[in-house]
Amino acid sequence: QRLPMLAVHAREDEICSLNSVQTVLARVAPSQIRLSVLENSYHMITADNDRQQVADELANFMAHVGAAPTIRNTDGTESGKISPILRS
């Protein structure tokens, strides 16, 4: 089964180049990929200048695929779903 993929990467990441990410993504069906390139961040995108854009991209992606992450116990049984965070 092919699943959709979200990649969020900073153009100026000094640890892992955008070119490296694009090389990996070239092996995935284009219809399955959503690549978001951040223009105002570096390596730690969830704590950097574009952190709100990262959160928005993830929320939009999750809404698009209709996913609610499942919480699993260590024995593999399901213990519930994570509720989406709503902002006003």
Side-chain angles (χ1 to χ4, degrees), residues 9-11 13 16-26 35:
H9 196 80
R11 185 175 305 282
D13 188 327
C16 178
S17 73
L18 180 57
N19 187 44
S20 296
V21 173
Q22 291 169 326
T23 298
V24 170
L25 294 179
L35 172 61

Side-chain angles (χ1 to χ4, degrees), residues 7-71:
V8 183
H9 196 80
R11 185 175 305 282
E12 300 299 324
D13 188 327
E14 67 280 4
I15 306 298
C16 178
S17 73
L18 180 57
N19 187 44
S20 296
V21 173
Q22 291 169 326
T23 298
V24 170
L25 294 179
R27 298 177 174 265
V28 180
S31 63
Q32 301 301 112
I33 301 170
R34 163 88 173 105
L35 172 61
S36 176
V37 179
L38 305 173
E39 300 296 340
N40 193 25
S41 289
Y42 299 92
H43 185 66
M44 296 184 61
I45 62 174
T46 58
D48 213 332
N49 299 319
D50 293 318
R51 62 187 170 273
Q52 186 59 55
Q53 183 180 344
V54 173
D56 292 344
E57 290 284 352
L58 182 56
N60 290 336
F61 178 77
M62 296 298 287
H64 175 73
V65 298
T70 301
I71 301 169

Side-chain angles (χ1 to χ4, degrees), residues 67-85:
T70 301
I71 301 169
R72 297 215 176 267
N73 299 314
T74 54
D75 65 0
T77 59
E78 185 178 315
S79 65
K81 301 276 187 190
I82 299 173
S83 299
I85 298 171

